[in-house]
Amino acid sequence: MSTPSLDFDPSAVQLPQGHFIGGAYRQTDEAQIAVLRPSDGKLLGHVPDASAGTVDFAVSNAHEAWKTSGWATRSPRERAKVLTRWAELIDHHAVSLAQLEAVSSTRPVAQAYASDVPFTAEAIRFFAELADKLGGDIAATRRDSLGFVASEPYGVIGAITPWNFPLSMCSWKCGPALAAGNAVVLKPSEMTPFSTMRLAELAVEAGMPAGIFNVVNGRGATTGAALTRHPDISKISFTGSTRTGAVIMSDAAMHGTKPVTLELGGKSPQLVFERVTNLEHTARCIASGFIANGGQACVAGTRLIVHRGIADALVDAIKAQLRNVAAGPLWRSTTAYSPIISRAQAERIDRLVEESRASGAEVLFGGGYFEDTDEGFFHRPALLGNVTSDTPAVREELFGPVLTVQTFDDEDEGIALAGHPIYGLAAGIHSSDIGQALRAMRRIAAGTVWINRYGRSGDMIIPTGGFKQSGIGKDLGRQALEASMRHKSVLIDFDAM
Ligand code: NAD
């Protein structure tokens, strides 16, 4: 099959309208939220800002569908057939989904087509395949008893997603929740709502009963909070910032003691020891690890901790990797670099860089913005040296393409610098001495460790999730399906009847 031409006219893209509730798009007369195109800052469209009443309508629809549609009670393999068809439809509509992602998020169309859309389909397919593989346990009880642990769905799961990678984030939340037999009400980020709504429409086309997967649009503090607090939401699965995660955890505790899965922020280190097999490869891993999606990835490796003996050579090799990075409209198939999502986020990056410079940091390379990009904020990759663990750009999740550089002299010092006081999402370790790399792996508190590589593969079996304030629980892997089910302990006496 030949690759379609991916260049497109952004003004010709059809946007889903309203909310997606009970298997259909619903228009409301609620206040509208303007959605901008990050690529050029122009107005893309609007979504309604759901009131608590609309959230209640969506959750009631989901609850009713969960009780009556047979989704929860049919065999997992029957659910898997629908999820598999859904994944096929996602693949089939890859071009239009990639276009939707490219107009409203920070994803260049070629990357959305080559990775975001197929990864989204793969995540759904993975959970379809896993649906009947985790059935609970038989307990070791007395011989005249039978004890077992049965898994069952929670009911309606509330999912809340961020603006980065909207398609993938939706599949990470919905794949396990739906495979386990739950219904879902999802609130996407108000900045990137459209591709999620289209996924919900495709789920119904694939045969998912109306009301099992719903999307409500709106702002976090109102719509998101109403979802978290709703009495018929049995669990919350959230991806976003650590600050919002704490608010949601508190809300979930105060409104029904609901369990939460929280995938939160990070400030991940790239620890490079003195001996690496291939310096060019290491430099490529580090460059792509902090500029992917314009640095707006939770696992972005934004703190380089490098042995003094190779620091200059590695920094030169990283600079060489960054020289050809170029901005361009996200609807042009040759664009490979992402803009910052919004003016507010660009201002936050600028402030943290300025505060870092005021505290002594030195710009070693890049910085500022590409010109000739309309109103889009395409931040040039930047390297900051002369920093300490207290420098704002080292301490805070900056969410932009800025790499700080620190050096060390021995293994203990390098590992100590790699640790972060509050975050523990991911870490990269680069060393040709596997013993050294594994020692560091054991000592660094991070939910994911990549050795001599950086970034996720397409292996959906590998879960993702953070330690410390980077999160609670896992997305992907068997763990995500297990976390979408509650476990009932059953004990039967044979001879009491
Ligand atoms: P955010 O926390 O501002 O918003 C995330 C979502 O929460 C949005 O849908 C928002 O509307 C909603 N929200 C905000 N306040 C709320 C409230 N009081 N109650 C309920 N919902 C509320 O995050 P963001 O800026 O959209 O996304 C970037 C953040 O997400 C970064 O910190 C990044 O590290 C994190 N992230 C983490 C992962 C992961 O897997 N760990 C993946 C992607 C992004």
Side-chain angles (χ1 to χ4, degrees):
M1 213 166 70
S2 64
T3 309
S5 164
L6 292 173
D7 290 298
F8 69 99
D9 171 3
S11 60
V13 172
Q14 296 281 318
L15 300 176
Q17 302 287 323
H19 309 287
F20 192 86
I21 300 174
Y25 287 111
R26 311 272 175 171
Q27 312 296 331
T28 60
D29 57 6
E30 293 160 310
Q32 299 286 303
I33 302 173
V35 181
L36 305 183
R37 302 194 302 218
S39 187
D40 61 4
K42 295 204 165 59
L43 181 70
L44 173 63
H46 291 87
V47 284
D49 188 8
S51 63
T54 300
V55 172
D56 181 54
F57 177 65
V59 177
S60 304
N61 251 281
H63 200 236
E64 191 58 25
W66 184 69
K67 286 191 295 184
T68 60
S69 71
W71 181 252
T73 51
R74 70 179 70 171
S75 78
R77 291 191 78 77
E78 290 300 315
R79 284 198 294 272
K81 282 183 197 159
V82 176
L83 293 173
T84 305
R85 268 202 300 279
W86 188 21
E88 284 164 5
L89 283 175
I90 292 168
D91 282 336
H92 181 75
H93 292 282
V95 173
S96 61
L97 283 168
Q99 291 178 351
L100 265 185
E101 204 72 332
V103 282
S104 88
S105 85
T106 54
R107 308 294 298 138
V109 66
Q111 293 177 4
Y113 178 79
S115 59
D116 301 45
V117 175
F119 273 36
T120 298
E122 262 312 280
I124 305 280
R125 206 173 276 124
F126 169 78
F127 287 107
E129 290 162 359
L130 200 59
D132 66 343
K133 308 295 183 296
L134 299 183
D137 285 323
I138 301 290
T141 57
R142 287 166 49 132
R143 271 177 69 89
D144 59 354
S145 300
L146 175 62
F148 64 93
V149 183
S151 307
E152 54 182 48
Y154 276 99
V156 186
I157 292 186
I160 300 175
T161 52
W163 51 262
N164 58 337
F165 305 100
L167 282 170
S168 299
M169 293 301 108
C170 175
S171 67
W172 291 13
K173 298 301 182 198
C174 292
L178 295 169
N182 298 283
V184 173
V185 178
L186 188 151
K187 191 202 89 62
S189 168
E190 55 275 36
M191 288 188 269
T192 54
F194 297 115
S195 56
T196 306
M197 284 199 276
R198 181 76 179 116
L199 284 187
E201 185 185 357
L202 291 177
V204 171
E205 203 177 315
M208 193 170 295
I212 290 295
F213 176 26
N214 310 274
V215 179
V216 283
N217 286 304
R219 298 190 194 280
T222 47
T223 308
L227 186 61
T228 308
R229 295 174 187 174
H230 196 286
D232 284 334
I233 290 289
S234 302
K235 183 190 165 169
I236 290 287
S237 184
F238 169 75
T239 297
S241 64
T242 293
R243 193 168 45 82
T244 306
V247 173
I248 286 178
M249 192 172 178
S250 154
D251 262 1
M254 296 306 290
H255 294 82
T257 331
K258 293 166 191 165
V260 289
T261 294
L262 302 176
E263 299 294 340
L264 309 177
K267 190 72 206 175
S268 300
Q270 292 262 30
L271 177 59
V272 185
F273 288 105
E274 190 169 17
R275 285 191 306 281
V276 292
T277 310
N278 180 338
L279 195 75
E280 290 306 309
H281 170 77
T282 306
R284 264 198 306 279
C285 288
I286 289 163
S288 63
F290 88 96
I291 65 168
N293 201 35
Q296 301 157 109
C298 53
V299 292
T302 50
R303 290 187 298 127
L304 173 61
I305 321 277
V306 52
H307 190 280
R308 196 179 306 278
I310 60 164
D312 288 345
L314 182 63
V315 167
D316 283 347
I318 295 169
K319 287 180 187 171
Q321 293 292 327
L322 301 174
R323 286 213 173 85
N324 293 330
V325 169
L330 299 183
W331 35 89
R332 195 183 293 154
S333 55
T334 49
T335 299
Y337 191 62
S338 295
I340 304 304
I341 182 76
S342 65
R343 176 181 293 275
Q345 177 56 22
E347 286 172 357
R348 179 179 143 75
I349 295 168
D350 295 344
R351 178 173 56 75
L352 285 168
V353 169
E354 268 324 297
E355 286 175 8
S356 301
R357 292 179 68 179
S359 71
E362 190 189 328
V363 179
L364 304 177
F365 178 86
Y369 291 85
F370 287 99
E371 285 136 26
D372 303 329
T373 55
D374 277 331
E375 297 295 310
F377 294 96
F378 287 84
H379 195 290
R380 289 179 190 279
L383 266 55
L384 292 187
N386 202 28
V387 296
T388 70
S389 298
D390 289 329
T391 304
V394 177
R395 208 180 52 218
E396 306 219 8
E397 185 185 44
L398 178 144
F399 235 49
V402 179
L403 180 74
T404 59
V405 183
Q406 292 168 277
T407 55
F408 65 91
D409 292 303
D410 67 39
E411 191 174 303
D412 282 348
E413 188 190 1
I415 292 171
L417 283 173
H420 190 279
I422 69 162
Y423 292 121
L425 191 56
I429 298 172
H430 304 267
S431 173
S432 54
D433 175 347
I434 192 67
Q436 180 176 54
L438 292 176
R439 279 195 300 279
M441 178 277 292
R442 285 282 193 217
R443 291 175 60 192
I444 293 174
T448 295
V449 176
W450 288 301
I451 296 178
N452 294 331
R453 61 169 287 131
Y454 200 81
R456 294 195 172 88
S457 62
D459 301 301
M460 305 294 168
I461 188 70
I462 299 179
T464 175
F467 289 1
K468 304 200 280 187
Q469 291 181 40
S470 287
I472 296 175
K474 300 287 183 187
D475 276 346
L476 299 180
R478 279 192 289 272
Q479 290 80 354
L481 185 66
E482 279 192 347
S484 301
M485 299 186 277
R486 57 188 178 188
H487 304 287
K488 184 174 280 176
S489 302
V490 183
L491 187 60
I492 310 163
D493 283 345
F494 295 174
D495 296 326
M497 273 81 87

